Amino acid sequence: MAAATRAVASQGLGASTASIAKEAGVSNGSLFVYFDTKATLLNELFVSLKTEMAQTSLIGLPVEGEPREQMLHVWTQWMRWAVASPDKRRAVAQLLVSDDITAASHELVNIAFGAMADLLERSRAGGPMQNAPLSFVLTLTNSIAETTIDTVIREPADAESLTRLAFDATWRVIAGA
């Protein structure tokens, strides 16, 4: 999976199974012992990376905290994961636009992000986004996050202040507070 992550991150969705196998130090045929098709590999990679992202974002979540405190924690963890894992982030971006990623894989990812979706629902209750489709709110949030991650990578000395500034803006969009 690590080899597939690096290959997709550097070569995009067109990365061949041969290049993935070479990166992994196995024969191309050996790759197909574990994955029936390249599409199967890409789906498993997508679910694995997105699940890791979700789990990492929830590590240490202050379960008794208010929604704002919990969202700040998730936001900060997400930023740290993305900045520390540039290949994983690039691979996820590629996989998100792949026609090979199945509805079943997306559903598994939605399950992995269930706690975060619940938190987002609680956070937007009574706010300006309370009646907006969740997918729209997620897209807005992700856009701000991706912009923040890109900026933090370029300006690491300002990572903490940029992360907090972006969170404050996101919170105002979601909760109106």
Coordinates of all heavy atoms in Angstrom, one line a residue, residues 83-162:
V83 N -0.1 17.7 6.3 CA 1.2 18.3 6.1 C 2.4 17.3 6.3 O 3.4 17.3 5.5 CB 1.4 19.5 7.0 CG1 2.8 20.1 7.1 CG2 0.5 20.7 6.6
A84 N 2.2 16.4 7.2 CA 3.2 15.4 7.5 C 3.2 14.2 6.5 O 4.1 13.5 6.4 CB 3.0 14.8 8.9
S85 N 2.1 14.1 5.7 CA 1.9 13.0 4.8 C 1.6 13.5 3.3 O 0.6 13.2 2.8 CB 0.8 12.1 5.2 OG 0.9 11.8 6.6
P86 N 2.6 14.2 2.7 CA 2.3 14.8 1.4 C 1.9 13.8 0.3 O 1.1 14.0 -0.5 CB 3.5 15.6 1.1 CG 4.6 15.1 1.9 CD 3.9 14.5 3.2
D87 N 2.6 12.6 0.3 CA 2.3 11.6 -0.6 C 0.9 11.0 -0.5 O 0.2 10.8 -1.4 CB 3.3 10.4 -0.6 CG 4.6 10.8 -1.2 OD1 4.7 11.8 -1.9 OD2 5.6 10.0 -1.1
K88 N 0.5 10.8 0.8 CA -0.8 10.3 1.1 C -1.9 11.3 0.6 O -2.9 11.0 0.0 CB -1.0 10.0 2.6 CG -0.1 8.8 3.0 CD -0.2 8.5 4.5 CE 0.6 7.3 4.8 NZ 0.6 7.0 6.3
R89 N -1.6 12.6 0.9 CA -2.5 13.6 0.5 C -2.7 13.7 -1.0 O -3.8 13.8 -1.5 CB -2.1 15.0 1.1 CG -3.0 16.1 0.7 CD -2.5 17.4 1.3 NE -3.2 18.5 0.8 CZ -2.7 19.6 0.2 NH1 -1.4 19.7 0.1 NH2 -3.4 20.6 -0.2
R90 N -1.6 13.7 -1.7 CA -1.6 13.7 -3.2 C -2.3 12.5 -3.7 O -3.1 12.6 -4.7 CB -0.2 13.8 -3.8 CG 0.3 15.2 -3.7 CD 1.6 15.4 -4.5 NE 2.7 14.6 -4.1 CZ 3.6 15.0 -3.1 NH1 3.4 16.1 -2.5 NH2 4.5 14.2 -2.8
A91 N -2.1 11.3 -3.1 CA -2.7 10.1 -3.6 C -4.2 10.2 -3.4 O -5.0 9.8 -4.3 CB -2.1 8.9 -2.9
V92 N -4.7 10.7 -2.2 CA -6.1 10.8 -1.9 C -6.7 11.8 -3.0 O -7.8 11.5 -3.5 CB -6.3 11.3 -0.5 CG1 -7.8 11.8 -0.3 CG2 -6.0 10.2 0.5
A93 N -6.1 12.9 -3.3 CA -6.6 13.8 -4.2 C -6.8 13.1 -5.6 O -7.8 13.4 -6.3 CB -5.7 15.0 -4.4
Q94 N -5.9 12.3 -6.0 CA -6.0 11.6 -7.3 C -7.1 10.6 -7.2 O -7.9 10.5 -8.1 CB -4.7 10.8 -7.6 CG -3.5 11.7 -7.9 CD -3.6 12.4 -9.3 OE1 -4.1 11.8 -10.2 NE2 -3.1 13.6 -9.4
L95 N -7.2 9.8 -6.1 CA -8.2 8.8 -6.0 C -9.6 9.4 -5.9 O -10.6 8.7 -6.4 CB -7.9 7.9 -4.8 CG -6.6 7.1 -4.9 CD1 -6.2 6.6 -3.5 CD2 -6.8 6.0 -5.9
L96 N -9.7 10.6 -5.4 CA -11.1 11.2 -5.3 C -11.7 11.4 -6.6 O -12.9 11.5 -6.7 CB -11.0 12.5 -4.5 CG -10.9 12.3 -3.0 CD1 -10.6 13.7 -2.3 CD2 -12.3 11.8 -2.4
V97 N -10.9 11.6 -7.7 CA -11.4 11.9 -9.0 C -11.4 10.7 -9.9 O -11.7 10.7 -11.1 CB -10.7 13.1 -9.7 CG1 -10.9 14.3 -8.9 CG2 -9.2 12.8 -9.9
S98 N -11.0 9.5 -9.3 CA -10.9 8.3 -10.1 C -12.3 7.7 -10.4 O -13.1 7.5 -9.4 CB -10.0 7.3 -9.4 OG -10.1 6.0 -10.1
D99 N -12.6 7.3 -11.6 CA -13.8 6.6 -11.9 C -13.7 5.1 -11.4 O -14.8 4.5 -11.4 CB -14.0 6.6 -13.4 CG -14.3 7.9 -14.0 OD1 -14.9 8.8 -13.2 OD2 -14.0 8.2 -15.2
D100 N -12.6 4.7 -11.0 CA -12.4 3.3 -10.5 C -12.9 3.1 -9.1 O -13.1 2.0 -8.6 CB -11.0 2.8 -10.6 CG -10.6 2.5 -12.1 OD1 -11.4 2.1 -12.8 OD2 -9.4 2.8 -12.4
I101 N -13.0 4.2 -8.4 CA -13.4 4.1 -6.9 C -14.9 3.9 -6.9 O -15.7 4.7 -7.4 CB -13.0 5.4 -6.2 CG1 -11.5 5.7 -6.3 CG2 -13.4 5.3 -4.7 CD1 -10.6 4.5 -5.9
T102 N -15.3 2.8 -6.3 CA -16.7 2.3 -6.3 C -17.5 3.0 -5.2 O -17.0 3.6 -4.2 CB -16.7 0.8 -6.1 OG1 -16.2 0.6 -4.7 CG2 -15.9 0.1 -7.1
A103 N -18.8 2.9 -5.4 CA -19.8 3.4 -4.4 C -19.5 2.7 -3.1 O -19.7 3.3 -2.0 CB -21.2 3.2 -4.9
A104 N -19.2 1.4 -3.1 CA -19.0 0.7 -1.9 C -17.8 1.2 -1.1 O -17.8 1.3 0.1 CB -18.8 -0.8 -2.2
S105 N -16.7 1.6 -1.9 CA -15.6 2.2 -1.2 C -15.9 3.5 -0.6 O -15.5 3.9 0.5 CB -14.4 2.4 -2.2 OG -13.9 1.1 -2.6
H106 N -16.7 4.3 -1.3 CA -17.1 5.6 -0.8 C -18.0 5.4 0.5 O -17.8 6.2 1.4 CB -17.9 6.4 -1.8 CG -17.0 7.1 -2.8 ND1 -16.3 8.2 -2.6 CD2 -16.8 6.8 -4.1 CE1 -15.6 8.6 -3.6 NE2 -15.9 7.7 -4.6
E107 N -18.8 4.4 0.5 CA -19.6 4.1 1.7 C -18.7 3.7 2.8 O -19.0 4.1 4.0 CB -20.6 3.0 1.3 CG -21.6 2.7 2.5 CD -22.3 3.9 3.0 OE1 -22.7 4.8 2.2 OE2 -22.6 4.0 4.2
L108 N -17.7 2.9 2.6 CA -16.8 2.5 3.7 C -16.1 3.8 4.3 O -15.9 3.9 5.5 CB -15.8 1.5 3.2 CG -16.3 0.1 2.9 CD1 -15.2 -0.7 2.3 CD2 -16.7 -0.5 4.2
V109 N -15.7 4.7 3.4 CA -15.1 5.9 3.9 C -16.1 6.8 4.7 O -15.8 7.3 5.7 CB -14.5 6.7 2.7 CG1 -14.2 8.1 3.1 CG2 -13.3 6.0 2.1
N110 N -17.4 6.8 4.2 CA -18.4 7.6 4.9 C -18.6 7.0 6.3 O -18.8 7.8 7.3 CB -19.7 7.6 4.2 CG -19.7 8.4 2.9 OD1 -18.8 9.3 2.8 ND2 -20.6 8.2 2.0
I111 N -18.5 5.7 6.5 CA -18.6 5.1 7.8 C -17.4 5.5 8.6 O -17.6 5.8 9.8 CB -18.7 3.5 7.6 CG1 -20.1 3.1 7.0 CG2 -18.5 2.8 9.0 CD1 -20.1 1.7 6.5
A112 N -16.2 5.5 8.1 CA -15.0 5.9 8.8 C -15.1 7.3 9.3 O -14.6 7.7 10.3 CB -13.8 5.7 7.9
F113 N -15.8 8.1 8.5 CA -15.9 9.6 8.8 C -17.2 9.8 9.6 O -17.6 11.0 9.8 CB -15.9 10.4 7.6 CG -14.5 10.8 7.1 CD1 -13.8 9.9 6.3 CD2 -13.9 11.9 7.5 CE1 -12.5 10.2 5.9 CE2 -12.6 12.2 7.1 CZ -11.9 11.3 6.3
G114 N -17.9 8.8 10.0 CA -19.2 9.0 10.7 C -19.2 9.9 11.9 O -20.0 10.8 12.1
A115 N -18.2 9.7 12.8 CA -18.1 10.5 14.0 C -17.8 12.0 13.6 O -18.4 12.9 14.3 CB -17.0 10.0 14.9
M116 N -17.0 12.2 12.6 CA -16.8 13.5 12.2 C -18.0 14.2 11.5 O -18.3 15.4 11.8 CB -15.6 13.6 11.2 CG -14.3 13.2 11.9 SD -12.9 13.0 10.8 CE -12.7 14.5 10.0
A117 N -18.8 13.4 10.8 CA -20.0 13.9 10.2 C -21.0 14.3 11.3 O -21.7 15.3 11.2 CB -20.6 12.9 9.2
D118 N -21.1 13.4 12.3 CA -22.0 13.7 13.4 C -21.6 15.0 14.1 O -22.4 15.9 14.5 CB -22.0 12.6 14.5 CG -22.6 11.3 13.9 OD1 -23.3 11.4 12.9 OD2 -22.4 10.3 14.6
L119 N -20.3 15.2 14.3 CA -19.8 16.4 14.9 C -20.1 17.6 14.1 O -20.5 18.7 14.6 CB -18.2 16.3 15.2 CG -17.5 17.5 15.7 CD1 -18.2 18.0 17.0 CD2 -16.1 17.2 15.9
L120 N -19.9 17.5 12.8 CA -20.2 18.6 11.9 C -21.7 18.9 11.9 O -22.1 20.1 11.9 CB -19.8 18.2 10.5 CG -19.9 19.3 9.4 CD1 -19.1 20.6 9.8 CD2 -19.4 18.8 8.1
E121 N -22.6 17.9 12.0 CA -24.0 18.1 12.1 C -24.3 18.9 13.4 O -25.1 19.9 13.4 CB -24.8 16.8 12.1 CG -24.8 16.2 10.7 CD -25.7 16.9 9.7 OE1 -26.2 18.0 9.9 OE2 -25.8 16.3 8.6
R122 N -23.8 18.5 14.5 CA -24.0 19.2 15.8 C -23.5 20.7 15.7 O -24.1 21.6 16.3 CB -23.3 18.5 16.9 CG -24.1 17.2 17.4 CD -23.5 16.6 18.6 NE -22.3 15.9 18.2 CZ -21.1 16.1 18.8 NH1 -21.0 16.8 19.9 NH2 -20.0 15.4 18.4
S123 N -22.3 20.8 15.0 CA -21.7 22.1 15.0 C -22.5 23.1 14.1 O -22.5 24.3 14.4 CB -20.3 22.0 14.4 OG -19.5 21.2 15.2
R124 N -23.2 22.7 13.1 CA -23.9 23.6 12.2 C -25.4 23.8 12.6 O -26.0 24.6 12.1 CB -23.8 23.1 10.8 CG -24.6 21.9 10.5 CD -24.4 21.4 9.0 NE -25.2 20.3 8.6 CZ -25.8 20.3 7.5 NH1 -25.7 21.2 6.6 NH2 -26.6 19.2 7.2
A125 N -25.8 23.1 13.7 CA -27.2 23.3 14.1 C -27.4 24.7 14.6 O -26.6 25.2 15.4 CB -27.5 22.3 15.3
G126 N -28.4 25.4 14.1 CA -28.6 26.8 14.4 C -27.8 27.8 13.7 O -28.0 29.0 13.8
G127 N -26.8 27.3 12.9 CA -25.9 28.2 12.2 C -26.4 28.5 10.8 O -27.4 27.9 10.3
P128 N -25.7 29.3 10.0 CA -26.1 29.6 8.7 C -26.1 28.4 7.7 O -26.8 28.5 6.7 CB -25.0 30.6 8.2 CG -23.9 30.4 9.1 CD -24.4 29.9 10.4
M129 N -25.4 27.3 8.0 CA -25.4 26.2 7.2 C -26.3 25.0 7.6 O -26.2 23.9 7.1 CB -23.9 25.6 7.1 CG -23.0 26.5 6.4 SD -23.4 26.6 4.6 CE -22.5 28.0 4.1
Q130 N -27.1 25.3 8.6 CA -28.0 24.3 9.2 C -28.9 23.6 8.2 O -29.2 22.4 8.3 CB -28.8 24.8 10.3 CG -29.9 25.8 9.9 CD -30.6 26.4 11.1 OE1 -30.6 25.8 12.2 NE2 -31.3 27.5 11.0
N131 N -29.3 24.3 7.1 CA -30.2 23.7 6.1 C -29.5 23.3 4.8 O -30.2 22.8 3.9 CB -31.4 24.6 5.9 CG -32.3 24.8 7.1 OD1 -32.5 23.8 7.8 ND2 -32.7 26.0 7.4
A132 N -28.2 23.6 4.7 CA -27.5 23.3 3.5 C -27.2 21.8 3.5 O -27.1 21.1 4.5 CB -26.2 24.1 3.5
P133 N -27.2 21.2 2.3 CA -26.8 19.8 2.2 C -25.5 19.5 2.8 O -24.5 20.3 2.7 CB -26.8 19.5 0.7 CG -27.6 20.6 0.1 CD -27.4 21.8 1.0
L134 N -25.3 18.4 3.6 CA -24.1 18.1 4.2 C -22.9 18.1 3.2 O -21.8 18.5 3.5 CB -24.2 16.8 5.0 CG -22.9 16.4 5.7 CD1 -22.5 17.4 6.7 CD2 -23.2 15.0 6.4
S135 N -23.2 17.5 2.0 CA -22.1 17.5 1.0 C -21.6 18.8 0.6 O -20.4 19.0 0.4 CB -22.6 16.7 -0.3 OG -23.7 17.4 -0.8
F136 N -22.5 19.8 0.6 CA -22.1 21.2 0.3 C -21.2 21.8 1.4 O -20.1 22.3 1.2 CB -23.3 22.1 0.1 CG -23.0 23.6 -0.1 CD1 -22.4 24.0 -1.3 CD2 -23.2 24.5 0.8 CE1 -22.1 25.3 -1.6 CE2 -23.0 25.8 0.6 CZ -22.4 26.2 -0.6
V137 N -21.6 21.5 2.7 CA -20.8 22.0 3.8 C -19.4 21.3 3.9 O -18.4 21.9 4.1 CB -21.6 21.7 5.2 CG1 -20.7 22.1 6.4 CG2 -22.9 22.4 5.1
L138 N -19.4 20.0 3.6 CA -18.2 19.3 3.5 C -17.2 19.8 2.4 O -16.0 19.9 2.6 CB -18.4 17.8 3.3 CG -19.0 17.0 4.5 CD1 -19.4 15.6 4.1 CD2 -18.0 17.0 5.6
T139 N -17.8 20.2 1.3 CA -17.0 20.7 0.2 C -16.4 22.1 0.5 O -15.3 22.3 0.3 CB -17.9 20.8 -1.1 OG1 -18.3 19.5 -1.5 CG2 -17.1 21.4 -2.3
L140 N -17.2 22.9 1.2 CA -16.7 24.2 1.6 C -15.6 24.0 2.6 O -14.5 24.6 2.5 CB -17.8 25.0 2.3 CG -18.8 25.7 1.3 CD1 -19.9 26.4 2.2 CD2 -18.2 26.7 0.4
T141 N -15.8 23.2 3.6 CA -14.8 22.9 4.6 C -13.5 22.3 4.0 O -12.4 22.8 4.4 CB -15.4 21.9 5.7 OG1 -16.6 22.5 6.2 CG2 -14.4 21.6 6.8
N142 N -13.7 21.4 3.1 CA -12.5 20.8 2.5 C -11.7 21.8 1.7 O -10.5 21.8 1.6 CB -12.9 19.6 1.6 CG -11.7 18.8 1.1 OD1 -11.0 18.3 1.9 ND2 -11.5 18.8 -0.2
S143 N -12.4 22.7 1.0 CA -11.8 23.8 0.2 C -10.9 24.7 1.1 O -9.8 25.0 0.7 CB -12.8 24.6 -0.6 OG -13.5 23.8 -1.5
I144 N -11.5 25.1 2.2 CA -10.7 25.9 3.1 C -9.5 25.1 3.7 O -8.4 25.7 3.8 CB -11.6 26.5 4.3 CG1 -12.7 27.4 3.7 CG2 -10.8 27.2 5.3 CD1 -13.8 27.8 4.7
A145 N -9.8 23.9 4.0 CA -8.7 23.0 4.5 C -7.6 22.9 3.5 O -6.4 23.0 3.9 CB -9.2 21.7 5.0
E146 N -7.9 22.6 2.3 CA -6.9 22.4 1.3 C -6.0 23.6 1.0 O -4.8 23.6 0.9 CB -7.5 21.9 0.0 CG -8.0 20.4 0.0 CD -6.9 19.4 0.3 OE1 -5.7 19.6 -0.2 OE2 -7.2 18.4 1.0
T147 N -6.7 24.8 1.0 CA -6.0 26.0 0.9 C -5.1 26.3 2.1 O -3.9 26.7 1.9 CB -7.0 27.2 0.8 OG1 -7.9 26.9 -0.4 CG2 -6.4 28.5 0.6
T148 N -5.6 25.9 3.2 CA -4.7 26.1 4.4 C -3.5 25.2 4.4 O -2.4 25.6 4.7 CB -5.6 25.8 5.7 OG1 -6.8 26.6 5.7 CG2 -4.8 26.0 7.0
I149 N -3.7 23.9 4.0 CA -2.6 23.0 4.0 C -1.6 23.5 3.0 O -0.4 23.5 3.3 CB -3.1 21.6 3.6 CG1 -4.0 21.0 4.7 CG2 -2.0 20.6 3.3 CD1 -4.9 19.9 4.3
D150 N -2.0 23.9 1.8 CA -1.1 24.4 0.8 C -0.3 25.6 1.3 O 0.9 25.7 1.1 CB -1.8 24.8 -0.5 CG -2.4 23.7 -1.3 OD1 -1.9 22.5 -1.1 OD2 -3.3 23.9 -2.1
T151 N -0.9 26.5 2.0 CA -0.2 27.7 2.6 C 0.7 27.3 3.7 O 1.8 27.8 3.7 CB -1.3 28.7 3.0 OG1 -2.2 29.0 2.0 CG2 -0.6 30.0 3.5
V152 N 0.3 26.4 4.5 CA 1.2 25.9 5.6 C 2.4 25.2 5.1 O 3.5 25.4 5.6 CB 0.4 25.0 6.6 CG1 1.3 24.3 7.5 CG2 -0.6 25.8 7.4
I153 N 2.2 24.5 4.0 CA 3.4 23.8 3.4 C 4.4 24.9 2.9 O 5.6 24.7 3.1 CB 3.0 22.9 2.3 CG1 2.3 21.6 3.0 CG2 4.2 22.4 1.5 CD1 1.6 20.7 2.0
R154 N 3.9 25.9 2.3 CA 4.7 27.0 1.8 C 5.3 27.9 2.9 O 6.4 28.5 2.7 CB 4.0 27.9 0.8 CG 3.7 27.3 -0.6 CD 3.2 28.3 -1.6 NE 2.1 29.1 -1.1 CZ 0.8 28.7 -1.1 NH1 0.5 27.6 -1.7 NH2 -0.1 29.5 -0.7
E155 N 4.5 28.1 4.0 CA 4.9 29.0 5.1 C 4.9 28.2 6.4 O 4.1 28.6 7.3 CB 4.0 30.2 5.1 CG 4.0 30.9 3.8 CD 2.9 32.0 3.7 OE1 2.6 32.6 4.8 OE2 2.5 32.3 2.6
P156 N 5.8 27.2 6.6 CA 5.7 26.4 7.8 C 5.9 27.2 9.1 O 5.4 26.8 10.2 CB 6.8 25.4 7.6 CG 7.7 25.9 6.6 CD 6.8 26.8 5.7
A157 N 6.6 28.3 9.1 CA 6.8 29.1 10.3 C 5.5 29.6 10.8 O 5.4 29.9 12.0 CB 7.8 30.2 10.1
D158 N 4.5 29.8 10.0 CA 3.2 30.3 10.4 C 2.1 29.3 10.5 O 0.9 29.6 10.5 CB 2.8 31.4 9.3 CG 3.7 32.6 9.3 OD1 4.3 32.9 10.3 OD2 3.9 33.1 8.2
A159 N 2.5 28.0 10.6 CA 1.6 26.9 10.5 C 0.5 27.1 11.6 O -0.7 26.9 11.4 CB 2.3 25.6 10.7
E160 N 0.9 27.3 12.8 CA 0.0 27.3 14.0 C -1.0 28.5 13.8 O -2.3 28.3 13.9 CB 0.7 27.5 15.3 CG -0.2 27.3 16.5 CD 0.6 27.3 17.8 OE1 1.7 26.7 17.8 OE2 0.0 27.8 18.8
S161 N -0.6 29.7 13.5 CA -1.5 30.8 13.3 C -2.4 30.7 12.1 O -3.6 31.0 12.2 CB -0.7 32.1 13.3 OG 0.1 32.2 12.1
L162 N -1.8 30.2 11.0 CA -2.7 30.0 9.8 C -3.7 28.9 10.0 O -4.9 29.0 9.6 CB -1.8 29.6 8.6 CG -0.9 30.7 8.1 CD1 0.1 30.1 7.1 CD2 -1.7 31.8 7.4

